[in-house]
Amino acid sequence: AQTVTQSQPEMSVQEAETVTLSCTYDTSESDYYLFWYKQPPSRQMILVIRQEAYKQQNATENRFSVNFQKAAKSFSLKISDSQLGDAAMYFCASLTQGGSEKLVFGKGTKLTVNP
Amino acid sequence: DAMVIQNPRYQVTQFGKPVTLSCSQTLNHNVMYWYQQKSSQAPKLLFHYYDKDFNNEADTPDNFQSRRPNTSFCFLDIRSPGLGDAAMYLCATSRDPRRVGGYTFGSGTRLTVV
């Protein structure tokens, strides 16, 4: 079974600064996918960024980028130029395969952005 | 806009009184999921439907059941809610979760058991 671990229950960052959220995972699969989801307070969870394990290049979406270290099974999210709207719970997730595909989530990191 | 809609946003039920949460989608996705999310815990998959095929997670209590009468709707039934079932319940859909966009989530239903 896949497991996802987020060791930072809470993080804070000053507006316009950069913050990195950590995530490690464990899987026996050779082909898998990793995601970061954002859940603002009282709002729906939305996809921030995804990474295919077979791709060596780190994914980037505007101010969001990942540092994917396959050998270390690490998948951190870097948010550059943090904005007040980035404040949310961030969940790291992995996608299992084989039969029915389903997301496995970490416990989340609550990000606070200070003005 | 195409979306996943969960009703109600907030649900209060009495201990032991059956309750049903609903989810509808306009995306025509063939997979629908129900997750249970408790405070400070990872969202936990309860079950999912791949089209009409029901897939129950091994550790989902028998107290939880689901129905999917058609592509658009999926229901979560809790037969005898206990205090430990108080949580946010998330519905999600996907056509192919590996594609950009992955899952589409609803806003959730927060269940309170009194």
PDB file of all heavy atoms in Angstrom, chain A residues 53-69:
ATOM      1  N   ALA A  53       6.020  10.172 -12.244  1.00  0.00           N
ATOM      2  CA  ALA A  53       7.254   9.622 -11.685  1.00  0.00           C
ATOM      3  C   ALA A  53       8.298   9.321 -12.746  1.00  0.00           C
ATOM      4  O   ALA A  53       9.502   9.343 -12.476  1.00  0.00           O
ATOM      5  CB  ALA A  53       6.944   8.359 -10.885  1.00  0.00           C
ATOM      6  N   TYR A  54       7.845   9.041 -13.971  1.00  0.00           N
ATOM      7  CA  TYR A  54       8.800   8.683 -15.010  1.00  0.00           C
ATOM      8  C   TYR A  54       9.499   9.910 -15.606  1.00  0.00           C
ATOM      9  O   TYR A  54      10.441   9.781 -16.378  1.00  0.00           O
ATOM     10  CB  TYR A  54       8.116   7.877 -16.119  1.00  0.00           C
ATOM     11  CG  TYR A  54       7.022   8.624 -16.860  1.00  0.00           C
ATOM     12  CD1 TYR A  54       7.313   9.432 -17.959  1.00  0.00           C
ATOM     13  CD2 TYR A  54       5.701   8.505 -16.461  1.00  0.00           C
ATOM     14  CE1 TYR A  54       6.311  10.095 -18.634  1.00  0.00           C
ATOM     15  CE2 TYR A  54       4.688   9.174 -17.139  1.00  0.00           C
ATOM     16  CZ  TYR A  54       4.997   9.970 -18.228  1.00  0.00           C
ATOM     17  OH  TYR A  54       4.000  10.623 -18.895  1.00  0.00           O
ATOM     18  N   LYS A  55       9.020  11.095 -15.249  1.00  0.00           N
ATOM     19  CA  LYS A  55       9.628  12.321 -15.755  1.00  0.00           C
ATOM     20  C   LYS A  55      10.682  12.830 -14.769  1.00  0.00           C
ATOM     21  O   LYS A  55      10.394  12.986 -13.588  1.00  0.00           O
ATOM     22  CB  LYS A  55       8.574  13.404 -15.980  1.00  0.00           C
ATOM     23  CG  LYS A  55       7.674  13.143 -17.177  1.00  0.00           C
ATOM     24  CD  LYS A  55       6.784  14.340 -17.443  1.00  0.00           C
ATOM     25  CE  LYS A  55       5.943  14.122 -18.692  1.00  0.00           C
ATOM     26  NZ  LYS A  55       5.048  15.279 -18.967  1.00  0.00           N
ATOM     27  N   GLN A  56      11.854  13.078 -15.252  1.00  0.00           N
ATOM     28  CA  GLN A  56      12.909  13.586 -14.383  1.00  0.00           C
ATOM     29  C   GLN A  56      12.759  15.081 -14.125  1.00  0.00           C
ATOM     30  O   GLN A  56      13.170  15.580 -13.077  1.00  0.00           O
ATOM     31  CB  GLN A  56      14.278  13.287 -14.985  1.00  0.00           C
ATOM     32  CG  GLN A  56      14.601  11.804 -15.027  1.00  0.00           C
ATOM     33  CD  GLN A  56      16.014  11.537 -15.510  1.00  0.00           C
ATOM     34  OE1 GLN A  56      16.620  12.376 -16.166  1.00  0.00           O
ATOM     35  NE2 GLN A  56      16.544  10.368 -15.182  1.00  0.00           N
ATOM     36  N   GLN A  57      12.177  15.769 -15.088  1.00  0.00           N
ATOM     37  CA  GLN A  57      12.051  17.215 -14.946  1.00  0.00           C
ATOM     38  C   GLN A  57      10.993  17.548 -13.907  1.00  0.00           C
ATOM     39  O   GLN A  57       9.882  17.010 -13.932  1.00  0.00           O
ATOM     40  CB  GLN A  57      11.687  17.839 -16.291  1.00  0.00           C
ATOM     41  CG  GLN A  57      11.659  19.344 -16.284  1.00  0.00           C
ATOM     42  CD  GLN A  57      11.441  19.919 -17.667  1.00  0.00           C
ATOM     43  OE1 GLN A  57      11.217  19.186 -18.624  1.00  0.00           O
ATOM     44  NE2 GLN A  57      11.512  21.234 -17.776  1.00  0.00           N
ATOM     45  N   ASN A  58      11.326  18.477 -13.031  1.00  0.00           N
ATOM     46  CA  ASN A  58      10.379  18.900 -12.009  1.00  0.00           C
ATOM     47  C   ASN A  58       9.256  19.734 -12.622  1.00  0.00           C
ATOM     48  O   ASN A  58       9.493  20.604 -13.455  1.00  0.00           O
ATOM     49  CB  ASN A  58      11.099  19.741 -10.945  1.00  0.00           C
ATOM     50  CG  ASN A  58      12.001  18.899 -10.074  1.00  0.00           C
ATOM     51  OD1 ASN A  58      11.706  17.745  -9.773  1.00  0.00           O
ATOM     52  ND2 ASN A  58      13.121  19.470  -9.673  1.00  0.00           N
ATOM     53  N   ALA A  59       8.035  19.457 -12.184  1.00  0.00           N
ATOM     54  CA  ALA A  59       6.886  20.187 -12.691  1.00  0.00           C
ATOM     55  C   ALA A  59       6.868  21.616 -12.147  1.00  0.00           C
ATOM     56  O   ALA A  59       7.301  21.878 -11.015  1.00  0.00           O
ATOM     57  CB  ALA A  59       5.594  19.468 -12.298  1.00  0.00           C
ATOM     58  N   THR A  60       6.339  22.514 -12.975  1.00  0.00           N
ATOM     59  CA  THR A  60       6.212  23.926 -12.599  1.00  0.00           C
ATOM     60  C   THR A  60       4.889  24.460 -13.121  1.00  0.00           C
ATOM     61  O   THR A  60       4.499  24.164 -14.253  1.00  0.00           O
ATOM     62  CB  THR A  60       7.367  24.757 -13.197  1.00  0.00           C
ATOM     63  OG1 THR A  60       8.602  24.282 -12.680  1.00  0.00           O
ATOM     64  CG2 THR A  60       7.214  26.229 -12.834  1.00  0.00           C
ATOM     65  N   GLU A  61       4.209  25.205 -12.265  1.00  0.00           N
ATOM     66  CA  GLU A  61       2.964  25.880 -12.646  1.00  0.00           C
ATOM     67  C   GLU A  61       3.007  27.281 -12.058  1.00  0.00           C
ATOM     68  O   GLU A  61       2.689  27.493 -10.902  1.00  0.00           O
ATOM     69  CB  GLU A  61       1.740  25.128 -12.100  1.00  0.00           C
ATOM     70  CG  GLU A  61       1.427  23.827 -12.775  1.00  0.00           C
ATOM     71  CD  GLU A  61       0.863  24.005 -14.185  1.00  0.00           C
ATOM     72  OE1 GLU A  61       0.374  25.106 -14.492  1.00  0.00           O
ATOM     73  OE2 GLU A  61       0.930  23.027 -14.953  1.00  0.00           O
ATOM     74  N   ASN A  62       3.442  28.224 -12.893  1.00  0.00           N
ATOM     75  CA  ASN A  62       3.520  29.634 -12.457  1.00  0.00           C
ATOM     76  C   ASN A  62       4.393  29.745 -11.207  1.00  0.00           C
ATOM     77  O   ASN A  62       5.576  29.434 -11.244  1.00  0.00           O
ATOM     78  CB  ASN A  62       2.116  30.188 -12.252  1.00  0.00           C
ATOM     79  CG  ASN A  62       1.298  30.137 -13.521  1.00  0.00           C
ATOM     80  OD1 ASN A  62       1.761  30.501 -14.595  1.00  0.00           O
ATOM     81  ND2 ASN A  62       0.064  29.647 -13.405  1.00  0.00           N
ATOM     82  N   ARG A  63       3.817  30.171 -10.073  1.00  0.00           N
ATOM     83  CA  ARG A  63       4.615  30.376  -8.863  1.00  0.00           C
ATOM     84  C   ARG A  63       4.858  29.078  -8.080  1.00  0.00           C
ATOM     85  O   ARG A  63       5.564  29.100  -7.065  1.00  0.00           O
ATOM     86  CB  ARG A  63       3.897  31.374  -7.955  1.00  0.00           C
ATOM     87  CG  ARG A  63       3.740  32.759  -8.566  1.00  0.00           C
ATOM     88  CD  ARG A  63       3.074  33.714  -7.577  1.00  0.00           C
ATOM     89  NE  ARG A  63       1.700  33.343  -7.267  1.00  0.00           N
ATOM     90  CZ  ARG A  63       1.309  32.817  -6.116  1.00  0.00           C
ATOM     91  NH1 ARG A  63       2.186  32.593  -5.143  1.00  0.00           N
ATOM     92  NH2 ARG A  63       0.033  32.522  -5.915  1.00  0.00           N
ATOM     93  N   PHE A  64       4.270  28.007  -8.549  1.00  0.00           N
ATOM     94  CA  PHE A  64       4.368  26.726  -7.841  1.00  0.00           C
ATOM     95  C   PHE A  64       5.316  25.783  -8.592  1.00  0.00           C
ATOM     96  O   PHE A  64       5.204  25.630  -9.807  1.00  0.00           O
ATOM     97  CB  PHE A  64       2.985  26.073  -7.726  1.00  0.00           C
ATOM     98  CG  PHE A  64       1.989  26.896  -6.951  1.00  0.00           C
ATOM     99  CD1 PHE A  64       1.220  27.865  -7.586  1.00  0.00           C
ATOM    100  CD2 PHE A  64       1.825  26.699  -5.594  1.00  0.00           C
ATOM    101  CE1 PHE A  64       0.310  28.625  -6.877  1.00  0.00           C
ATOM    102  CE2 PHE A  64       0.906  27.448  -4.876  1.00  0.00           C
ATOM    103  CZ  PHE A  64       0.147  28.409  -5.514  1.00  0.00           C
ATOM    104  N   SER A  65       6.212  25.188  -7.857  1.00  0.00           N
ATOM    105  CA  SER A  65       7.119  24.208  -8.446  1.00  0.00           C
ATOM    106  C   SER A  65       7.372  23.099  -7.434  1.00  0.00           C
ATOM    107  O   SER A  65       7.139  23.272  -6.239  1.00  0.00           O
ATOM    108  CB  SER A  65       8.435  24.868  -8.865  1.00  0.00           C
ATOM    109  OG  SER A  65       9.090  25.411  -7.741  1.00  0.00           O
ATOM    110  N   VAL A  66       7.826  21.969  -7.949  1.00  0.00           N
ATOM    111  CA  VAL A  66       8.116  20.852  -7.058  1.00  0.00           C
ATOM    112  C   VAL A  66       9.586  20.491  -7.167  1.00  0.00           C
ATOM    113  O   VAL A  66      10.245  20.764  -8.166  1.00  0.00           O
ATOM    114  CB  VAL A  66       7.238  19.615  -7.376  1.00  0.00           C
ATOM    115  CG1 VAL A  66       5.771  19.951  -7.193  1.00  0.00           C
ATOM    116  CG2 VAL A  66       7.523  19.080  -8.773  1.00  0.00           C
ATOM    117  N   ASN A  67      10.061  19.858  -6.117  1.00  0.00           N
ATOM    118  CA  ASN A  67      11.383  19.248  -6.111  1.00  0.00           C
ATOM    119  C   ASN A  67      11.160  17.757  -5.908  1.00  0.00           C
ATOM    120  O   ASN A  67      10.879  17.300  -4.803  1.00  0.00           O
ATOM    121  CB  ASN A  67      12.243  19.818  -4.988  1.00  0.00           C
ATOM    122  CG  ASN A  67      13.650  19.243  -5.011  1.00  0.00           C
ATOM    123  OD1 ASN A  67      14.041  18.500  -5.924  1.00  0.00           O
ATOM    124  ND2 ASN A  67      14.448  19.583  -4.013  1.00  0.00           N
ATOM    125  N   PHE A  68      11.213  17.021  -6.991  1.00  0.00           N
ATOM    126  CA  PHE A  68      10.929  15.594  -6.991  1.00  0.00           C
ATOM    127  C   PHE A  68      12.247  14.838  -6.928  1.00  0.00           C
ATOM    128  O   PHE A  68      13.052  14.885  -7.860  1.00  0.00           O
ATOM    129  CB  PHE A  68      10.138  15.229  -8.246  1.00  0.00           C
ATOM    130  CG  PHE A  68       9.872  13.764  -8.418  1.00  0.00           C
ATOM    131  CD1 PHE A  68       9.414  12.994  -7.366  1.00  0.00           C
ATOM    132  CD2 PHE A  68      10.068  13.156  -9.658  1.00  0.00           C
ATOM    133  CE1 PHE A  68       9.156  11.635  -7.530  1.00  0.00           C
ATOM    134  CE2 PHE A  68       9.810  11.804  -9.838  1.00  0.00           C
ATOM    135  CZ  PHE A  68       9.359  11.047  -8.773  1.00  0.00           C
ATOM    136  N   GLN A  69      12.455  14.149  -5.825  1.00  0.00           N
ATOM    137  CA  GLN A  69      13.645  13.333  -5.611  1.00  0.00           C
ATOM    138  C   GLN A  69      13.201  11.874  -5.541  1.00  0.00           C
ATOM    139  O   GLN A  69      12.808  11.389  -4.468  1.00  0.00           O
ATOM    140  CB  GLN A  69      14.356  13.752  -4.335  1.00  0.00           C
ATOM    141  CG  GLN A  69      14.800  15.198  -4.303  1.00  0.00           C
ATOM    142  CD  GLN A  69      15.941  15.460  -5.260  1.00  0.00           C
ATOM    143  OE1 GLN A  69      16.794  14.602  -5.488  1.00  0.00           O
ATOM    144  NE2 GLN A  69      15.946  16.661  -5.832  1.00  0.00           N
TER     145      GLN A  69
END
